[in-house]
Amino acid sequence: MTNISQTTTQRSTENPFKAFTRFVGAENLSLLIALVLLVALIASQTPFFFVPRNLMNIGMNLAVVGLLGVGMTIVIVSGALDISVGSIAGVASVVSAIFVTYVGTVTGGVFMGVLAGALLGVVNAAIISYLRVNAVVATLATLSAYRGIAFLVAPEGRPIGVLDQNFAYIGSGRVLESGSFPGIPVALLLLVAVAVVAHFVMSSTVFGRAVYSMGGNPAAARLAGINLTRMKFYIFTISGALAGLAGVLVTARTSSGQPASGTQGLELEAITAVFLGGAILAGGKGTIVGTMLAVVLLATLSNGMNLLNIPTFYQLVAKGFLLIVAVAIGQWRMARAERAQARASLAG
């Protein structure tokens, strides 16, 4: 009891900068500095960046990738990779549009979209666990298969129009809108809520510690009593459900269920955000906070390029380059940690 009260007292008197650094993570400070420099660079080139409506658009645009990034963080920390999330979002987008347009239920549309994503996540986990297929190969195959399913589910393979205003509010609605203040996007608030819950789960629960353990050392995790097969089902189901929710947001924002357009390429942005946020390919490292910072950085970069009229193909090159840099930095950090561990072992 004395130790707990001492810890509480120490944290209450802790330097605010140290408290902020502890929350963000020392390894993510460089990401935060890069974001500040990027904002300063864009703002110096165009007067429209800090316009409230433009900031609101950034918030709306990052919600979809952010949801995918939360699920992808859990998957990558566990030592796996899910390339199929963009296609899962496509299937969920069509399913939710069908239920809203043809069945007439907004709640059912949201629920069925998320459920469709979760079920496709279960299929991924089953292929990886029972057929012993590498996660990258398995989800590469389902990326193609799910994209085909999205076209099969959509009538004649075409987008499905959704005219329900209540459903559209989820994707493009705003709260606290008044005067010159454009309001806060509902989609952004949804992302913040999901990210806060995921951060708590990953940092303060047995499940979160198990995910880090199976990514850091699967053999040791198995010896510690963690059921790796069951954990894979949980992890890929969560990733699929969040991809389904992202697909619902795409439908709500574009007012149409999109089999492909609007969801293709999302997996690349989500993976890039997770690696930029400090995760490594081997697993065992990565945080929700780091991923969210990287999502904001990518959304800011994309918005800045659009404001400066930089062609789309340059944006694709920039995002691919960022992914390579992020993975290279992760590998360098891992090699440095291994060298430090080896030196400590020799010294001991």
Side-chain angles (χ1 to χ4, degrees), residues 31-326:
L31 198 61
L32 201 57
I33 294 171
L35 177 62
V36 172
L37 292 175
L38 179 64
V39 168
L41 177 64
I42 297 172
S44 68
Q45 299 299 314
T46 172
F48 301 110
F49 181 76
F50 281 118
V51 172
R53 189 164 293 277
N54 182 58
L55 296 178
M56 185 200 68
N57 285 333
I58 294 176
M60 293 176 70
N61 290 334
L62 63 83
V64 172
V65 176
L67 287 172
L68 295 175
V70 170
M72 190 67 74
T73 301
I74 301 173
V75 172
I76 290 178
V77 168
S78 75
L81 196 64
D82 187 353
I83 306 176
S84 66
V85 290
S87 296
I88 292 177
V91 175
S93 173
V94 173
V95 169
S96 62
I98 288 175
F99 273 81
V100 174
T101 300
Y102 298 125
V103 183
T105 164
V106 172
T107 305
V110 175
F111 175 76
M112 293 306 295
V114 175
L115 179 63
L119 290 175
L120 295 179
V122 170
V123 173
N124 280 341
I127 294 172
I128 295 166
S129 300
Y130 295 129
L131 300 182
R132 307 290 182 187
V133 179
N134 181 277
V136 176
V137 178
T139 55
L140 182 62
T142 54
L143 175 146
S144 174
Y146 294 163
R147 187 166 297 166
I149 289 174
F151 280 98
L152 289 171
V153 173
E156 300 180 358
R158 295 178 179 175
I160 305 167
V162 181
L163 302 178
D164 192 297
Q165 292 302 312
N166 292 326
F167 187 68
Y169 184 78
I170 301 171
S172 54
R174 290 168 274 171
V175 297
L176 303 177
E177 182 179 5
S178 64
S180 59
F181 183 63
I184 303 173
V186 173
L188 178 62
L189 293 177
L190 182 63
L191 169 63
V192 171
V194 170
V196 168
V197 172
H199 172 70
F200 173 77
V201 169
M202 291 296 286
S203 61
S204 306
T205 67
V206 175
F207 176 81
R209 287 192 288 274
V211 173
Y212 280 101
S213 296
M214 67 185 289
N217 191 332
R222 188 180 291 108
L223 290 174
I226 297 173
N227 188 325
L228 298 188
T229 300
R230 187 185 301 166
M231 285 295 296
K232 286 176 185 173
F233 272 90
Y234 290 154
I235 290 166
F236 278 91
T237 302
I238 292 171
S239 175
L242 290 176
L245 184 57
V248 170
L249 283 187
V250 170
T251 304
R253 189 175 178 198
T254 61
S255 297
S256 65
Q258 300 282 348
S261 178
T263 55
Q264 283 187 356
L266 289 177
E267 57 277 345
L268 175 65
E269 294 192 37
I271 292 170
T272 303
V274 176
F275 284 130
L276 269 178
I280 59 174
L281 196 55
K285 290 187 180 298
T287 62
I288 299 296
V289 174
T291 298
M292 289 300 101
L293 281 173
V295 167
V296 174
L297 178 70
L298 289 173
T300 304
L301 176 66
S302 182
N303 178 265
M305 287 184 166
N306 287 331
L307 289 177
L308 297 174
N309 293 321
I310 295 176
T312 305
F313 47 84
Y314 282 118
Q315 298 184 30
L316 295 174
V317 172
K319 289 175 182 175
F321 178 73
L322 274 177
L323 177 57
I324 294 172
V325 170

